[in-house]
């Protein structure tokens, strides 16, 4: 994108979407108010913001909850709202910090549908997770152990490197290898 | 560029307003606190001494002693008179705090007056309450000296003192206290609202979300300062309205100057509140720190005791205290009609305090972002 984050952090940040692991939207604001705030905070014009907010509410199926206070939502919907808020300004880069921790299976699948469809549209997405079957969906995996990259590559490459059938096995083997090297 | 800036700040301000109103804690600070303060300060917290109960030990039982006592009885300051039979009963009345003052007249009272030797009335006041004691004793000596003047019948050229109280001619205590609580109320509201604001976001984790947004720390500071400023300023205006209409305290100064100086005073306090908030991680810490600031700030403001009465070192210390200038301005403009020069002398230190604390607040939360 060609923006120096050191020189112009505000501009650079407006190209990022970030969803925290812990729910970190305003509990006392409604779904709509939350999205509206983030839309405006990311510099979207008021009229356009209104359109975007109702659009994203539609996409994430939050229509019937739009006037519910965020704190009153069940966890799954909270996660959806967080993601909606992170995406409100259609950022080219999206950071998801364990987006699916503590979420039921259906919501999780839902989530990954969203993530993959976004990736197809050309959004760069960085997901952290400790579910290995989820990692499988990614194009490129960096395996972290004790704060260091242990392995880097596509899921297929990692599995091959570790000589395992699935990611779970690859993960265990690779960790063991790095332990032995120390 | 500037429009983006305004849009972001506006978004934050709007959010702050909604959140302040939605949060039961903040809402009660805005609604209940002012009403309570007004009622308590206007009615209960009076330093005026009235309704004094008196124990009387009259051993003289003469026309003269009756005359003195009836003057006491006719004074509105004193309420009940309990006549003691003897020393023991007299002392017991004072010991048990049934009365706040004792008047003791000896049996040679009448004789001494008639012979022109000079008689004595003994006033015993309750030193456990220093302030009321000295005020009650003051009333008593006024009454006695009035009687004295009547007795001697203006022989020779005596000096009469004529006292005129400027700015509050009848020394109505409510005038004094009400013009100060305007400042007190604004102080507490602003301080608590701002102290909570960043700490709350940090506690629930929403601050992270703000930090990754394009809002710069200056914009966050602005968006966080203006709403409490507007809320407190509105509250102050409502208070002034109530004080002028319901309590009939005359507004002597320029209203424009008043609004301007209150705004500056509030800005300084917003600065202090946001600084406190920026160093605290939880709301509990923030509230405690705000209280820790408030106690000495109020005591060193000239509200409880005049600054001129403090030891010199402490007097210098009050120059760091925004509340001191705040009270001087609010009382000065309200009752005295303080002129622009004097107002400026109080606004300049407030501006310095505001810019210092706001810069510190901005720096601290920028650093805390890592």
């Amino acid at each position: 994108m060609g923006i120096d984050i050191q020189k112009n952090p505000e501009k650079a940040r407006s190209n990022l979407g970030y969803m925290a692991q812990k729910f970190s939207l305003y509990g006392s604001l409604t779904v709509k108010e939350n999205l509206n705030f983030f839309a405006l905070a990311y510099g979207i014009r008021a009229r356009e913001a209104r359109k975007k907010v109702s659009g994203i509410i539609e996409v994430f199926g939050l229509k019937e909850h739009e006037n519910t206070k965020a704190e009153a939502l069940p966890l799954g919907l909270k996660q959806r709202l967080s993601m909606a808020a992170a995406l409100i300004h259609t950022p080219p880069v999206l950071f998801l910090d364990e987006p699916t921790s503590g979420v039921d299976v259906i919501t999780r699948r839902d989530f990954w549908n969203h993530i993959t469809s976004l990736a197809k549209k050309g959004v760069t997405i960085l997901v952290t997770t400790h579910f290995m079957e989820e990692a499988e969906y990614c194009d490129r995996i960096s395996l972290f152990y004790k704060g260091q990259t242990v392995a880097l590559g596509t899921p297929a490459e990692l599995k091959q490197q570790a000589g395992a059938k699935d990611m779970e096995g690859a993960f265990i083997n690779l960790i063991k290898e790095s332990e032995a090297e120390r | 560029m500037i429009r983006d800036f305004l849009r972001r700040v506006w978004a934050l301000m709007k959010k702050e307003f909604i959140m302040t109103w939605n949060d039961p804690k903040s809402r009660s600070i805005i609604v209940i606190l002012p009403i309570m303060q007004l009622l308590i300060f206007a009615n209960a917290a009076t330093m005026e001494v009235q309704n004094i109960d008196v124990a009387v030990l009259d051993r003289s039982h003469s026309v003269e002693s009756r005359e003195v006592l009836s003057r006491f009885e006719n004074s509105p300051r004193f309420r009940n008179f309990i006549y003691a039979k003897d020393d023991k009963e007299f002392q017991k009345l004072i010991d048990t705090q049934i009365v706040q003052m004792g008047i003791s007249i000896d049996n040679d009272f009448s004789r001494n007056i008639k012979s022109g030797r000079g008689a004595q009335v003994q006033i015993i006041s309750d030193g456990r309450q220093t302030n009321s004691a000295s005020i009650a004793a003051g009333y008593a000596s006024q009454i006695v000296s009035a009687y004295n003047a009547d007795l001697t019948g203006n022989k020779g050229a005596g000096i009469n003192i004529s006292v005129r109280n400027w700015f509050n001619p009848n020394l109505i205590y409510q005038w004094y206290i009400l013009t100060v609580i305007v400042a007190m109320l604004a102080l507490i509201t602003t301080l608590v609202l701002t102290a909570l604001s960043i700490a709350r976001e940090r506690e629930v984790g929403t601050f992270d979300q703000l930090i990754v947004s394009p809002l710069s720390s200056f914009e966050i500071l602005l968006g966080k300062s203006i709403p409490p400023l507007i809320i407190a300023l509105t509250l102050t205006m409502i208070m002034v309205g109530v004080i002028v209409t319901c309590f009939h305290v005359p507004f002597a100064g320029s209203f424009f100057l008043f609004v301007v100086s209150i705004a500056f005073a509030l800005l300084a306090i917003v600065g202090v509140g946001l600084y406190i908030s920026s160093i605290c991680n939880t709301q509990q810490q923030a509230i405690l720190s705000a209280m820790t600031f408030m106690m000495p700030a109020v005591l060193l403001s000239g509200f409880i005791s005049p600054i001129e009465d403090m030891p010199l070192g402490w007097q210098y210390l009050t120059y760091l205290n925004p509340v001191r200038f705040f009270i001087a301005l609010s009382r000065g403009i309200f009752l005295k009609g303080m002129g622009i020069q004097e107002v400026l002398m109080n606004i300049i230190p407030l501006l310095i305090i505001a810019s210092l604390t706001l810069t510190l607040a901005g720096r601290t939360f920028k650093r805390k972002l890592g």
Side-chain angles (χ1 to χ4, degrees):
Chain A
M1 278 164 282
I3 301 161
D4 189 335
I5 197 149
Q6 296 270 308
K7 280 189 199 134
N8 199 342
E10 282 85 35
K11 184 95 190 285
R13 283 205 297 261
S14 68
N15 286 307
L16 304 180
Y18 170 70
M19 177 183 161
Q21 176 180 6
K22 190 180 151 212
F23 180 71
S24 58
L25 301 185
Y26 297 99
S28 60
L29 299 187
T30 66
V31 168
K32 212 174 178 178
E33 285 166 344
N34 261 306
L35 292 172
N36 234 321
F37 167 65
F38 284 105
L40 294 174
Y42 277 88
I44 301 169
R45 272 160 227 257
R47 192 176 304 161
E48 206 182 323
R50 234 170 292 146
K51 224 182 288 166
K52 280 218 149 160
V53 167
S54 58
I56 211 150
I57 283 177
E58 209 67 64
V59 172
F60 280 85
L62 292 163
K63 187 80 197 153
E64 54 183 312
H65 306 285
E66 67 175 9
N67 291 320
T68 313
K69 283 193 179 172
E71 63 197 354
L73 293 173
L75 189 67
L77 287 179
K78 270 186 186 162
Q79 292 295 85
R80 257 198 255 170
L81 175 60
S82 302
M83 181 129 165
L87 286 170
I88 190 82
H89 56 296
T90 45
V93 180
L94 182 62
F95 288 87
L96 303 173
D97 188 0
E98 303 203 7
T100 52
S101 64
V103 166
D104 63 87
V105 185
I106 299 164
T107 324
R108 200 188 296 172
R109 201 178 52 202
D110 234 40
F111 236 88
W112 277 97
N113 281 338
H114 273 300
I115 292 172
T116 41
S117 79
L118 278 169
K120 272 186 197 138
K121 283 184 203 150
V123 179
T124 310
I125 304 169
L126 216 122
V127 189
T128 62
T129 182
H130 41 233
F131 295 110
M132 283 310 120
E133 68 271 32
E134 278 189 356
E136 193 103 52
Y137 301 130
C138 299
D139 300 319
R140 202 151 166 256
I141 299 170
S142 166
L143 188 63
F144 263 61
Y145 182 60
K146 291 191 172 163
Q148 255 152 19
T149 308
V150 176
L152 180 72
T154 63
E157 280 169 3
L158 288 195
K159 277 184 272 186
Q160 201 187 12
Q161 190 187 335
K165 281 202 299 294
D166 55 6
M167 273 315 293
E168 192 96 29
F171 172 78
I172 294 166
N173 288 351
L174 287 167
I175 296 287
K176 275 187 186 153
E177 252 171 58
S178 88
E179 241 344 34
E181 273 169 32
R182 271 170 203 246
Chain B
M1 193 62 197
I2 192 87
R3 289 189 60 180
D4 282 346
F5 166 80
L6 288 177
R7 197 177 295 134
R8 286 194 293 259
V9 174
W10 170 244
L12 189 55
M13 278 170 56
K14 200 165 104 186
K15 184 222 88 181
E16 289 293 318
F17 274 120
I18 301 175
M19 274 183 63
T20 310
W21 188 249
N22 282 353
D23 181 36
K25 252 186 307 223
S26 309
R27 197 168 37 197
S28 64
I29 290 166
I30 301 174
V31 181
I32 300 173
L33 199 77
I35 298 174
M36 267 186 28
Q37 277 209 319
L38 189 66
L39 290 179
I40 292 173
F41 275 105
N43 298 310
T46 171
M47 282 185 217
E48 231 165 50
V49 181
Q50 259 167 353
N51 304 330
I52 308 167
D53 294 328
V54 185
V56 179
L57 183 61
D58 183 3
R59 289 209 191 85
S60 168
H61 290 293
S62 57
V63 183
E64 288 78 6
S65 72
R66 272 295 341 139
E67 173 63 26
V68 172
L69 290 173
S70 76
R71 284 179 186 234
F72 274 95
E73 281 165 7
N74 287 327
S75 159
R77 309 284 183 190
F78 300 98
R79 187 172 55 187
N80 294 324
F81 289 81
I82 302 170
Y83 286 84
K85 290 191 301 289
D86 51 24
D87 260 346
K88 228 187 203 161
E89 198 190 336
F90 185 70
Q91 186 166 3
K92 201 177 156 206
L93 284 167
I94 294 171
D95 281 354
T96 50
Q97 298 194 6
I98 292 171
V99 297
Q100 289 85 48
M101 203 178 91
I103 303 173
S104 160
I105 298 174
D106 272 342
N107 46 18
D108 53 1
F109 183 70
S110 166
R111 207 181 321 136
N112 283 343
I113 287 179
K114 283 176 189 146
S115 63
R117 256 178 303 185
Q120 280 196 338
V121 174
Q122 188 181 31
I123 304 287
I124 292 166
S125 59
D126 188 347
R128 280 168 292 195
Q129 302 195 342
T130 8
N131 195 41
S132 343
S134 69
I135 292 172
Y139 293 149
S141 64
Q142 270 176 31
I143 291 171
V144 174
S145 63
Y147 178 58
N148 222 358
D150 286 353
L151 272 181
T152 50
N154 293 334
K155 282 177 215 146
I159 299 172
N160 286 322
I161 301 173
S162 79
V163 178
R164 190 141 302 153
N165 301 300
W166 280 13
F167 313 123
N168 186 355
N170 297 321
L171 292 183
I172 302 170
Y173 191 72
Q174 269 191 351
W175 287 23
Y176 166 80
I177 200 101
L178 284 173
T179 48
V180 175
I181 69 150
V182 174
M184 284 297 132
L185 169 85
L187 165 73
I188 298 174
T189 318
T190 321
L191 195 65
V192 176
L193 280 183
T194 48
L196 281 177
S197 80
I198 296 174
R200 173 173 46 215
E201 297 224 17
R202 200 173 271 139
E203 188 179 321
V204 288
T206 51
F207 207 58
D208 293 349
Q209 205 63 255
L210 270 191
I211 289 156
V212 294
S213 80
L215 284 158
S216 68
S217 64
F218 177 66
E219 286 161 358
I220 296 178
L221 203 62
L222 215 58
K224 290 255 170 214
S225 314
I226 298 171
L229 205 66
I230 292 175
I231 291 171
L233 207 56
T234 317
L235 276 178
T236 311
M237 294 307 128
I238 295 172
M239 278 303 246
V240 170
V242 171
I243 289 168
V244 172
T245 52
C246 301
F247 294 93
H248 307 292
V249 183
F251 194 90
S254 135
F255 192 70
F256 173 73
L257 265 185
F258 185 74
V259 176
V260 171
S261 30
I262 295 290
F264 279 115
L266 288 176
L267 193 66
I269 290 164
V270 164
V272 175
L274 284 181
Y275 177 61
I276 289 175
S277 203
S278 70
I279 55 174
C280 293
N281 287 321
T282 63
Q283 298 184 64
Q284 208 169 20
Q285 280 176 8
I287 287 278
L288 273 175
S289 316
M291 294 300 160
T292 315
F293 166 78
M294 207 134 64
M295 270 306 281
V298 170
L299 289 176
L300 289 176
S301 69
F303 169 39
I304 312 282
S305 54
I307 290 164
E308 295 75 28
D309 294 352
M310 297 172 190
L312 201 63
W314 290 94
Q315 287 192 32
Y316 285 124
L317 203 63
T318 63
Y319 284 108
L320 297 173
N321 182 5
V323 188
R324 172 213 158 124
F325 302 105
F326 194 175
I327 285 192
L329 282 167
S330 129
R331 195 193 291 163
I333 298 176
F334 208 125
L335 286 182
K336 203 165 83 172
M338 204 187 237
I340 183 130
Q341 251 171 340
E342 217 180 328
V343 169
L344 275 179
M345 289 304 289
N346 281 298
I347 284 183
I348 291 166
L350 282 172
L351 258 176
I352 297 171
I353 295 171
S355 52
L356 225 79
T357 46
L358 284 171
T359 322
L360 266 173
R363 280 248 180 102
T364 318
F365 70 66
K366 199 186 253 170
R367 203 186 47 220
K368 272 214 166 184
L369 321 179

